[in-house]
Each structure stands twice: as C-alpha cells, then as structure tokens.
Amino acid sequence: MNKALLPLVVGLLLGGCVIAAEPVPVVYGPPPPPRVEYVPVAPGPAYVWMPGYWSWHGRGYGWRGGHWARRSGWHGR
C-alpha cells in the first residue's frame, strides 16, 4: 500500500467510530415536571440512586439524567 494513502485509509476507517453524546434538551420558562427514569441495577450494595433533575443553564433548563453514586463512608457487607 502507498504510504501516502495510509493516513487517509485509517481516517476513513476510524471516522465511523465517533460516539456523540445525547444532546441536552433546553427548556425556556419554568422547569417541566421530572422525567420518568428507569433505574438500572445497582453496580453494588454501596451505591444509591441519584434521580435526574432539571438544571438551569443560564438561559433555560436542561435535563441531567439520574445516576448511581457511591455512598461515602459506607463499606457494605
């Protein structure tokens, strides 16, 4: 293979591997009611579910999805 074409071929192959984050919807006016979230299985006994919420982004509200957070100072058994 021609060495000049190698970067082009690699770029074309890796170009399909781009992963885009889900866009955060922005809502103008008062925050809407909380979204329905399906809570996945906890990664371990020392985790607690933190529900999602609408967060102010200067000009509107954007949804912050819920996530599992490790309990501080809790070791589980």
Side-chain angles (χ1 to χ4, degrees):
M1 177 179 275
N2 186 344
K3 288 186 179 184
L5 291 177
L6 186 60
L8 177 64
V9 172
V10 170
L12 290 173
L13 291 174
L14 294 178
C17 297
V18 175
I19 300 173
E22 181 180 334
V24 175
V26 176
V27 177
Y28 302 99
R35 289 182 166 186
V36 174
E37 291 186 306
Y38 298 97
V39 181
V41 176
Y47 289 82
V48 62
W49 178 253
M50 304 299 292
Y53 60 94
W54 289 100
S55 175
W56 179 253
H57 292 287
R59 297 184 341 169
Y61 288 92
W63 179 253
R64 300 280 186 140
H67 63 278
W68 286 105
R70 187 168 178 84
R71 296 179 192 182
S72 61
W74 199 83
H75 303 288
R77 297 179 198 251

